Amino acid sequence: KQKFGDYRLHLEFQLPEDGGKGNSGIFFGPLYELQILDSAVKEDVGMGDCGAIYQIRVPDLNAALPPGEWQTVDLEYQAANVGANGFMTEKGAARVTIRLNGKLIHDDFKLSLRRNKYAAFPEEPLSPIVLQEHGSPVKFRNIWLVEKPIKPRREK
């Protein structure tokens, strides 16, 4: 229910061992999703595999562990700068850095281009964290979030 701007999020998840892919996700920012799925044995991961920013970006490497093992996500999110007109500028795009199981899979990635199914919705400066239930018994634990003070952004 609470909404956040810039933050660091940590959590652990466990995919089921007894069949299924463990399809789930972590929604961050207004409508971005970090995909959770059994992808541990894949050599090449795609837009819908574990660690992908769903329908937007493939992870830099496959850091997924097998089902039944607890996995960690460390996500640093910088919200978009939204102007008085309610729109985000290209220079004010949201950014994210994500580590899966201690491995860097997205490094200060600019989320300016939304190609996912939520692309028509507006960018917002504050948004909730959502853990997706997608018909699979995925477990979550050790969830914590640290808000960062909002600072003027350096242009990149």
Side-chain angles (χ1 to χ4, degrees):
K1 294 180 183 179
Q2 187 174 347
K3 293 184 176 185
F4 306 96
D6 297 351
Y7 55 84
R8 286 179 28 226
L9 172 69
H10 171 88
L11 64 76
E12 298 173 15
F13 69 91
Q14 183 185 60
L15 299 172
E17 290 182 89
D18 55 354
K21 290 280 191 184
N23 191 1
S24 187
I26 303 162
F27 282 85
F28 64 95
L31 297 163
Y32 302 105
E33 178 188 357
L34 178 67
Q35 179 70 20
I36 294 176
L37 190 75
D38 177 12
S39 305
V41 298
K42 286 192 158 193
E43 285 189 35
D44 296 314
V45 288
M47 294 279 218
D49 287 313
C50 193
I53 301 172
Y54 188 69
Q55 294 181 339
I56 295 175
R57 185 172 194 273
V58 173
D60 290 337
L61 56 98
N62 186 356
L65 299 176
E69 293 190 35
W70 283 101
Q71 304 191 57
T72 62
V73 171
D74 290 289
L75 183 149
E76 292 185 45
Y77 178 72
Q78 183 177 356
N81 286 340
V82 178
N85 63 0
F87 293 97
M88 171 195 76
T89 65
E90 184 65 21
K91 290 181 180 178
R95 304 185 83 82
V96 69
T97 295
I98 302 172
R99 284 179 171 74
L100 177 61
N101 300 314
K103 296 180 180 174
L104 186 63
I105 60 170
H106 300 286
D107 188 11
D108 195 30
F109 178 68
K110 185 164 119 176
L111 294 160
S112 62
L113 179 61
R114 284 202 295 183
R115 296 181 295 257
N116 64 12
K117 59 187 172 184
Y118 306 108
F121 291 88
E123 196 74 40
E124 295 187 26
L126 300 175
S127 55
I129 304 297
V130 178
L131 303 180
Q132 182 185 46
E133 188 283 316
H134 208 266
S136 182
V138 175
K139 296 177 185 177
F140 293 94
R141 71 178 186 188
N142 295 329
I143 302 167
W144 54 263
L145 182 141
V146 177
E147 290 184 272
K148 292 182 170 184
I150 297 173
K151 299 181 208 173
R153 184 173 307 178
R154 292 189 330 245
E155 300 300 327
K156 291 189 178 191

